[in-house]
Amino acid sequence: MTKGQDNSIWTELWESIKFCKESKSGKYSLDTYLDIVSEYTDRQIKLAEDEGLIYLGGECQITNLGEKATYIFEITMFFEDCSGAKILKEAKRKLPKDRFVSETNSKIGEKIKFDIQRPR
C-alpha cells in the first residue's frame, strides 16, 4: 500500500464515521431525502392519473444558497388533461442545511437537477 492509498483509506474511514454520527443524530443524507421526494412525486403522479391526467414529465431542482444556511428543493411536474390542456404542478420547500449531513453540500454544489420519472 502506498502512502497516498493509506491517506485515502483513513480519509474514507473518517468520512464514514462522521456520516454515521450525523445520521444517528437525525440528519438526512441527500440520498435519503431524495427518496422522500421520490415517494411524494410518485404519490402526486398517481393521484393526478386517477383524476384522468396524463403525466408528461417533471424535474426536481436543488439549489444551494451558498452563504445562507438553506437548500431550496423545487419540484415541477407537467400534466395534460383529456382536452389537451397543459397543467403545471409545483412544490417548493426551503430546508436548513443543518438538517443534512455535511457531505450534502459537496454533492449539491451550486445546483443539481433530476428528472422525475413516472412511477412503475
Side-chain angles (χ1 to χ4, degrees), residues 10-60:
W10 287 112
T11 301
E12 190 173 321
L13 177 63
W14 171 249
E15 290 300 319
S16 295
I17 291 168
K18 190 164 87 173
F19 176 83
C20 288
K21 183 180 176 190
E22 290 176 332
S23 294
K24 189 176 180 181
S25 70
K27 293 186 178 195
Y28 292 112
S29 71
L30 181 58
D31 291 338
T32 299
Y33 198 76
L34 288 176
D35 286 342
I36 294 168
V37 169
S38 178
E39 290 173 14
Y40 168 79
T41 58
D42 287 355
R43 258 192 331 273
Q44 295 304 309
I45 292 168
K46 287 176 183 176
L47 286 170
E49 288 179 339
D50 288 347
E51 294 172 3
L53 300 179
I54 299 167
Y55 179 64
L56 302 175
E59 177 179 273
C60 174

Side-chain angles (χ1 to χ4, degrees), residues 72-119:
I72 298 177
F73 288 76
E74 296 176 272
I75 297 168
T76 306
M77 295 183 287
F78 299 94
F79 296 88
E80 183 177 71
D81 68 12
C82 60
S83 70
K86 305 289 190 246
I87 299 169
L88 171 66
K89 293 192 176 206
E90 297 176 293
K92 183 176 183 178
R93 188 166 192 196
K94 293 180 180 181
L95 293 169
K97 289 181 182 179
D98 64 6
R99 291 186 58 191
F100 292 88
V101 296
S102 56
E103 72 176 7
T104 302
N105 218 32
S106 63
K107 283 188 169 185
I108 293 175
E110 185 178 315
K111 182 184 296 186
I112 56 174
K113 294 180 183 184
F114 299 96
D115 289 334
I116 299 172
Q117 305 297 320
R118 185 182 176 282

